[in-house]
């Protein structure tokens, strides 16, 4: 059994695509809704997923995703696939078949991450960002994403970029099973909302300043310069 887990907040423009895709790839999906105020929860309630409420504003992603991984293990998972609401994980065949076909000694499947970007060539009026944002950066992102074998006590690190298993110093892994297509910044309006939520979520933690540093910086720009400052960042770096 392969179960995917995610924590989401205000992702109503992409949640149907990302979770809907994952439902076709694995046996079940568990979603923690972190107090969404848009249509995210209504969309999730229409999908065959398990939704749990996460009322804590603070972005303690490692702790929360590790708890979801444990929930999946208790529910019978052999593998857990942590994912973000703005990601599409792709595999030759289904993700479940790929993971369940790995040797028993493999504890981690690492996946290269590729960022998709908005361009002036995107079709106008297409509300599906996964279909609309067909262009991606040529180089993969510096950090990978992981799927993990469902072991009691496994810790998913911040960002879902790595994992730690109790009593295992160097968990055996594979790197060629999956890729992740990432659609983080889909419009100026969505980026502003993401900055507002991200800055508030990190401000509500006791994590060191380097954790979520870009969200903290963007939040300060939003406070100092308003939405025009965030639009400038979007146009300069993510368009």
């Amino acid at each position: 059994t392969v179960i995917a887990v995610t924590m989401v907040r205000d992702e109503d423009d992409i949640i149907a695509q990302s979770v809907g895709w994952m439902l076709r790839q694995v046996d079940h999906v568990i979603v923690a809704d972190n107090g969404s105020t848009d249509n995210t929860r209504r969309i999730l309630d229409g999908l065959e997923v398990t939704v749990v409420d996460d009322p804590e504003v603070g972005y303690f992603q490692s702790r929360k995703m590790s708890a979801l991984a444990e929930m999946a293990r208790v529910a019978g998972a052999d593998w857990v696939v942590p994912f973000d609401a703005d990601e599409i994980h792709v595999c030759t065949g289904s993700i479940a078949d790929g993971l369940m076909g790995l040797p028993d000694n493999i504890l981690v499947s690492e996946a290269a991450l590729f960022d998709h970007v908005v361009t002036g060539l995107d079709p106008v009026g297409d509300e599906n960002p996964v279909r609309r944002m067909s262009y991606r950066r040529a180089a993969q992102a510096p950090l990978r994403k992981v799927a993990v074998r469902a072991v009691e006590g496994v810790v998913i690190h911040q960002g879902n970029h790595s994992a730690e298993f109790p009593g295992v110093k160097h968990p055996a892994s594979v790197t060629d099973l999956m890729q992740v297509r990432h659609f983080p910044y889909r419009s100026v309006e969505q980026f502003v909302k993401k900055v507002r939520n991200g800055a508030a979520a990190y401000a509500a933690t006791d994590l060191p300043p380097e954790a979520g540093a870009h969200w903290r910086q963007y939040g300060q720009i939003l406070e100092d310069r308003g939405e025009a400052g965030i639009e400038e960042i979007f146009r300069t770096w993510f368009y």
Side-chain angles (χ1 to χ4, degrees):
T1 298
V2 178
I3 297 178
V5 298
T6 186
M7 47 185 285
V8 306
R9 178 178 170 85
D10 293 344
E11 300 277 6
D12 64 358
D13 66 317
I14 198 171
I15 193 72
Q17 286 75 37
S18 60
V19 174
W21 170 261
M22 192 60 80
L23 281 169
R24 298 191 292 273
Q25 296 293 312
V26 300
D27 298 297
H28 192 56
V29 175
I30 302 173
V31 181
D33 179 28
N34 183 221
S36 292
T37 58
D38 60 7
N39 288 319
T40 295
R41 185 56 175 266
R42 180 184 61 79
I43 294 169
L44 289 172
D45 288 341
L47 299 173
E48 293 295 323
V49 300
T50 297
V51 181
V52 297
D53 288 313
D54 173 22
E56 182 181 47
V57 175
Y59 198 66
F60 296 102
Q61 187 185 29
S62 176
R63 171 164 56 79
K64 293 179 180 183
M65 292 299 284
S66 300
L68 290 173
E70 175 63 11
M71 184 182 300
R73 185 192 70 83
V74 171
D78 297 289
W79 279 89
V80 178
V81 184
F83 73 106
D84 291 340
D86 56 10
E87 294 173 352
I88 300 290
H89 290 231
V90 294
C91 181
T92 301
S94 75
I95 293 172
D97 288 346
L99 290 172
M100 293 305 295
L102 292 175
D104 291 344
N105 68 305
I106 299 297
L107 297 181
V108 178
S109 174
E110 297 183 354
L113 178 71
F114 291 90
D115 287 329
H116 283 243
V117 294
V118 173
T119 79
L121 299 177
D122 295 350
V124 177
D126 190 340
E127 296 183 357
N128 180 342
V130 175
R131 183 173 57 223
R132 182 181 73 245
M133 296 169 59
S134 59
Y135 288 88
R136 66 166 175 83
R137 300 192 188 280
Q140 71 182 60
L143 298 176
R144 294 172 176 262
K145 296 284 183 163
V146 296
V148 299
R149 202 172 285 275
V151 173
E152 185 175 5
V154 64
V155 175
I156 310 297
H157 292 155
Q158 200 84 354
N160 304 331
H161 296 302
S162 60
E164 181 180 345
F165 295 81
V168 180
K169 286 188 176 181
H170 304 290
S173 65
V174 296
T175 59
D176 57 355
L177 181 67
M178 288 188 289
Q179 283 188 5
V180 176
R181 300 304 182 93
H182 189 209
F183 301 81
Y185 310 122
R186 304 179 290 276
S187 69
V188 172
E189 295 75 19
Q190 176 265 336
F191 187 32
V192 168
K193 181 168 63 174
K194 197 175 182 78
V195 167
R196 187 172 285 115
N197 286 343
Y202 274 105
T205 73
D206 56 358
L207 296 173
E210 58 269 21
H214 59 299
W215 294 119
R216 300 177 198 263
Q217 292 165 3
Y218 293 161
Q220 191 62 53
I221 291 172
L222 180 61
E223 183 176 334
D224 294 342
R225 298 177 53 199
E227 294 185 6
I230 300 303
E231 180 171 3
E232 182 179 343
I233 293 172
F234 178 83
R235 299 290 179 187
T236 302
W237 298 105
F238 305 121
Y239 179 81

